[in-house]
Amino acid sequence: MKELEKADSVIEKNNFFTKKRITILFFAAIFAIAFSITISILLLKIDINSINNFFIQGFKQPNNMFFLWLILMFAFPLFSSFLRYIVIYIRLKKENCSAKWYDWIFLVFIGSFLNAITPFSIGNEPYSLYWLKTHGLTTRKSLLILASTGIMNPLAQILVTWPSFFIVSASYGEFGNTIEWSASYWLAFAGLIFDLIAFFSFFALTYSRRIHFFLNSVYYWIRKKFRMSYKTKEDMKIKYVKKAVFKEEFIEEMRNYKFYIFVLIGNVLWNVFLYSSMYFSFELSGSLENISFSDWFNYTNIAVTANNWIPIPGAEGTLQILIITFINGINTNVDNVFRENVNNIIFVWRMFTFYLPAVIGMICFPISAGLFYKNIKGSTI
């Protein structure tokens, strides 16, 4: 009986891999896979033969640049994985904490998997919190690191995306008379505004004393209703308003400006690399159509950012439709063969930048969960 109680306490302390959560994520993964396959087959008309022909035609391109574009496509997930690793590694080292090599693999790829199967790509944060806590950090310190590093990505998106939006807006007079292009443009604009609001809201959550007080009031009110230990309003006012504990810690954390400038630059490069990869996929196809790097970059840029507010996991379907509409809208004279090839170009881009890391994470997830329960079992012997 004592062994079971001990195991239960361990699970409660490290409560990410609960049976309920694993079950939910299992069915979420099944749904995401089925949904992606359905979108690819029925909407985008993707099949094995078309992808096979995509690579064959690309390999036969006369300029012999096929392997360069292929290497650049593989380079993105490698860069993305390294960036996530190095940011947490540097921050963990400062706290004199360390992790095993396979734990780093779990952190890098399981986050990609969870983002791919959860609405608004929110699955990564709870797992990252659990991961940091199990490697020696307190809950408060873990939340502080996630908040401080997490705010850099939406800031980087704003810095990279709005210039692209202004460039695209300059073409509104030329393409705005096309209903599909115009509708996509305004959807993208709405998405960018939402993304801007989300960034300032996220900043307020980490900086505002009154928001900290409100959120903790709700939290401790729930604990009180369940007859658990709680703080009084006066205690919370002293801690979160008068002393402004989290705000002061956040400001102190951000004073490590060299590190956070590095994180910001890394996120800017990540965004630039992601949007540039669409052009690499286009060149990989060996297509002879004259679509510039600027067009691929800018339209992919605003389409991705605009879909951040879409609750569909990975914005599957809506993202592809928006990019396809933009690209076909600026190339009204192309033939149907190229219009079909656009679908393959986007699919291959998603395959390298989205599907591949998510699949690796899907493999890592049950291994990580298995090790977690193995450690629990070992701790009760």
Side-chain angles (χ1 to χ4, degrees), residues 50-252:
S50 66
I51 297 301
N52 186 47
N53 291 333
F54 176 94
F55 286 104
I56 291 175
Q57 293 300 319
F59 182 74
K60 292 179 179 179
Q61 58 185 295
N63 56 11
N64 295 320
M65 299 285 283
F66 175 81
F67 288 105
L68 171 64
W69 304 120
L70 187 63
I71 290 171
L72 288 172
M73 292 300 295
F74 273 112
F76 175 79
L78 292 175
F79 172 78
S80 181
S81 302
F82 176 76
L83 179 64
R84 178 159 173 75
Y85 158 75
I86 198 64
V87 167
I88 300 300
Y89 172 80
I90 294 173
R91 196 57 191 81
L92 214 62
K93 188 176 181 180
K94 184 180 179 182
E95 303 296 328
N96 295 318
C97 298
S98 60
K100 297 177 180 178
W101 64 269
Y102 54 81
D103 282 329
W104 287 113
I105 294 176
F106 293 156
L107 174 67
V108 168
F109 290 106
I110 289 178
S112 299
F113 164 64
L114 295 174
N115 281 342
I117 66 172
T118 53
F120 299 110
S121 300
I122 60 174
N124 176 46
E125 280 70 21
Y127 176 75
S128 296
L129 177 63
Y130 152 81
W131 193 95
L132 291 172
K133 288 170 61 179
T134 54
H135 287 85
L137 298 183
T138 63
T139 300
R140 178 178 292 277
K141 180 62 71 172
S142 300
L143 287 171
L144 188 65
I145 291 174
L146 290 176
S148 303
T149 56
I151 203 170
M152 293 297 110
N153 186 45
L155 177 58
Q157 284 186 339
I158 291 171
L159 294 176
V160 175
T161 301
W162 279 93
S164 287
F165 180 73
F166 292 139
I167 292 172
V168 170
S169 297
S171 302
Y172 190 85
E174 182 178 357
F175 305 114
N177 57 343
T178 305
I179 296 177
E180 293 83 359
W181 191 97
S182 179
S184 298
Y185 172 86
W186 289 110
L187 283 174
F189 176 72
L192 265 62
I193 294 296
F194 184 90
D195 198 60
L196 202 62
I197 293 172
F199 166 74
F200 286 111
S201 299
F202 186 80
F203 182 79
L205 284 172
T206 57
Y207 192 79
S208 172
R209 292 177 296 176
R210 296 191 180 279
I211 292 180
H212 295 162
F213 174 75
F214 171 75
L215 293 176
N216 280 278
S217 297
V218 174
Y219 172 68
Y220 285 114
W221 178 82
I222 294 174
R223 290 182 65 90
K224 182 179 179 180
K225 291 299 180 182
F226 283 92
R227 299 182 179 181
M228 302 169 67
S229 61
Y230 64 93
K231 294 182 183 295
T232 64
K233 285 190 175 182
E234 189 60 33
D235 290 336
M236 287 185 286
K237 284 182 180 179
I238 293 173
K239 184 175 182 179
Y240 297 105
V241 179
K242 294 180 180 180
K243 292 185 177 180
V245 176
F246 193 85
K247 177 181 177 180
E248 293 301 323
E249 291 180 349
F250 177 73
I251 293 174
E252 182 64 28

Side-chain angles (χ1 to χ4, degrees), residues 269-377:
L269 292 176
W270 183 90
N271 280 274
V272 171
F273 204 164
L274 173 64
Y275 309 138
S276 299
S277 296
M278 182 66 85
Y279 179 76
F280 303 155
S281 180
F282 165 67
E283 290 290 350
L284 187 65
S285 70
S287 176
L288 299 178
E289 294 295 334
N290 185 25
I291 302 179
S292 68
F293 170 84
S294 176
D295 283 338
W296 281 111
F297 181 91
N298 292 325
Y299 285 111
T300 302
N301 187 351
I302 64 173
V304 170
T305 306
N307 273 271
N308 286 342
W309 62 281
I310 301 295
I312 300 173
E316 188 68 22
T318 57
L319 174 59
Q320 291 95 319
I321 290 173
L322 202 58
I323 297 174
I324 290 169
T325 302
F326 276 133
I327 296 301
N328 286 335
I330 63 174
N331 291 276
T332 56
N333 296 323
V334 299
D335 56 28
N336 291 329
V337 174
F338 175 74
R339 291 181 183 275
E340 293 176 1
N341 200 35
V342 168
N343 297 359
N344 293 329
I345 291 169
I346 296 173
F347 179 83
V348 170
W349 172 71
R350 291 277 283 180
M351 183 173 69
F352 282 97
T353 61
F354 184 78
Y355 301 136
L356 179 60
V359 169
I360 296 175
M362 184 172 63
I363 296 171
C364 291
F365 186 84
I367 298 174
S368 180
L371 290 175
F372 170 72
Y373 281 100
K374 182 180 180 180
N375 289 336
I376 290 177
K377 186 177 179 180

Side-chain angles (χ1 to χ4, degrees), residues 257-276:
Y257 65 92
K258 290 183 180 179
F259 172 69
Y260 284 102
I261 289 175
F262 166 76
V263 176
L264 178 60
I265 292 173
N267 277 279
V268 168
L269 292 176
W270 183 90
N271 280 274
V272 171
F273 204 164
L274 173 64
Y275 309 138
S276 299

